[in-house]
Amino acid sequence: MPANNHAQTGPPLIAGLLLAAGGGRRLGGRPKALLPYRGRPLVENAVRVLREAGCGPVHVVLGASAAEVRERADLAGCVVVDNPDWAQGMGSSLRVGLTSLAGTGARAALVSLVDQPGIGPAAVARVLAAYRSPTSLVAAAYDGERGHPVLFGADRWADIAATATGDKGARVHLARHAGELMLVECADIAEAFDIDTPPDLARLL
């Protein structure tokens, strides 16, 4: 029996890729991963959401205060990778994260951001359900506007990694392949706000 028989006959393996490297520059340099949310670091909530939605494995990219995040947050069972170039923007974290998925057998990566606690398991599961093949390109939409999470089939990872620079993330790839992008409306079950500035912290209460 081939070693990958289960991967062929069972549900596709879709990894959760959590980008949690941000330094919270507009928050006075408070790492977003460690912002308090329901009594625990925000990164723990983001990991829980990915797991409850059905992602596996879950890879977490850390950057700002990575050692402190590892010490204070419970990331048991996750593959935690450090991005030494996190200050260069989201693109570098996306490259590091996709590289870490090599050899996992994942057919796709569902990319989420640590600072969007209004997006829960229901929205992530809805995006996951739109997976069709390793060429899939799917994003959550909010009133028709593209947002997160975004699902990238494994066949797209190399091009995304090659074009992800600065804070653009996967925008270059998404723009080039706009006609192939499937939008999954999630405004009825999630809120796509970011925690970027001090007034936003009220959303964590």
Side-chain angles (χ1 to χ4, degrees):
M1 179 181 295
N4 63 351
N5 186 61
H6 177 73
Q8 293 175 343
T9 59
L13 190 68
I14 300 179
L17 179 53
L18 175 62
L19 305 185
R25 177 176 52 84
R26 287 181 286 173
L27 292 168
R30 300 171 65 184
K32 291 187 176 184
L34 289 176
L35 293 174
Y37 182 62
R38 298 177 178 174
R40 297 298 303 166
L42 188 57
V43 67
E44 291 183 12
N45 173 74
V47 167
R48 175 190 61 80
V49 167
L50 290 174
R51 285 181 171 151
E52 290 186 6
C55 292
V58 173
H59 287 219
V60 181
V61 180
L62 300 180
S65 302
E68 186 180 359
V69 176
R70 288 172 181 268
E71 180 180 342
R72 292 177 51 190
D74 181 3
L75 299 177
C78 297
V79 175
V80 182
V81 292
D82 291 340
N83 173 18
D85 301 318
W86 64 269
Q88 295 180 9
M90 187 189 303
S92 63
S93 289
L94 185 56
R95 290 197 304 273
V96 167
L98 291 175
T99 299
S100 75
L101 292 174
T104 63
R107 304 289 185 87
L110 184 135
V111 179
S112 67
L113 308 181
V114 73
D115 66 339
Q116 294 189 320
I119 301 174
V124 175
R126 191 176 283 184
V127 174
L128 281 180
Y131 170 85
R132 295 294 180 269
S133 76
T135 63
S136 287
L137 186 62
V138 186
Y142 301 89
D143 296 325
E145 294 295 321
R146 175 173 58 80
H148 284 86
V150 183
L151 182 147
F152 301 114
D155 288 356
R156 298 182 179 274
W157 295 354
D159 184 66
I160 293 169
T163 57
T165 58
D167 277 324
K168 293 180 179 179
R171 290 178 195 167
V172 172
H173 184 87
L174 288 166
R176 288 177 178 172
H177 300 276
E180 302 161 44
L181 175 65
M182 177 188 297
L183 293 179
V184 178
E185 185 59 50
C186 293
D188 58 319
I189 53 173
E191 294 182 275
F193 59 83
D194 301 311
I195 307 298
D196 283 333
T197 63
D200 296 334
L201 295 174
R203 292 180 175 270
L204 296 176
L205 300 177

